[in-house]
Amino acid sequence: VCIRLGSLDVYEICRRLREDETLSSLGFLQELPEKFTAGENFHTQWQTALSSQVIQDEERKLLAEFGDVLGKCDAEGQLTAIGALKQQLEQLQLRRNNSYLQKGRMYRSVGVLIGVMAGIFLI
């Protein structure tokens, strides 16, 4: 919406992302610049801020690519690239959900086994 309808620059987009409460766990957003400063590169600042965030490599890669897309081309180009990143994110989310379900079953089974072993030790 910020890109398509508002044609906002990267600094205004950063301000809006920072204000969004659903993104509060992304602490690196607070480190992004609010305005243009001569001699500073937004994409370098994005990468530097992102390096302070503790997240898994695949998520970091997607966020790094997202930061590289912002402001590099016209609105349609950015939206196309963001659409591709969204598809990658959906695939990553599916893999994470499947992994969670598999590991959840394993941990529940281990819990039952430990409970049975504790019962045997007590007898």
Side-chain angles (χ1 to χ4, degrees):
V1 172
C2 292
I3 295 171
R4 182 183 310 269
L5 300 177
S7 297
L8 302 179
D9 65 17
V10 291
Y11 303 102
E12 182 61 31
I13 291 172
C14 288
R15 276 192 289 279
R16 292 199 181 188
L17 291 174
R18 201 171 316 161
E19 293 168 357
D20 189 336
E21 291 181 17
T22 60
L23 300 175
S24 62
S25 64
L26 296 175
F28 81 96
L29 293 175
Q30 301 306 318
E31 298 178 30
L32 294 174
E34 292 187 10
K35 62 182 178 180
F36 173 76
T37 305
E40 295 291 333
N41 182 320
F42 171 79
H43 299 101
T44 303
Q45 291 173 314
W46 178 280
Q47 297 301 327
T48 302
L50 184 58
S51 68
S52 69
Q53 184 78 35
V54 179
I55 54 175
Q56 294 186 15
D57 289 338
E58 290 176 283
E59 286 84 351
R60 180 181 308 281
K61 182 180 176 246
L62 284 174
L63 284 170
E65 289 179 27
F66 178 74
D68 285 340
V69 165
L70 290 178
K72 277 211 173 165
C73 54
D74 67 347
E76 285 306 313
Q78 290 181 67
L79 293 172
T80 301
I82 291 170
L85 288 172
K86 182 181 175 191
Q87 288 178 344
Q88 291 178 25
L89 181 62
E90 289 168 351
Q91 291 172 356
L92 177 60
Q93 182 182 15
L94 183 61
R95 286 196 312 271
R96 294 282 192 246
N97 285 340
N98 289 338
S99 175
Y100 174 78
L101 292 174
Q102 289 174 344
K103 289 180 182 178
R105 282 192 296 261
M106 179 186 70
Y107 289 132
R108 285 188 294 277
S109 297
V110 169
V112 169
L113 289 174
I114 290 173
V116 169
M117 287 176 33
I120 292 172
F121 285 131
L122 289 175
I123 295 177

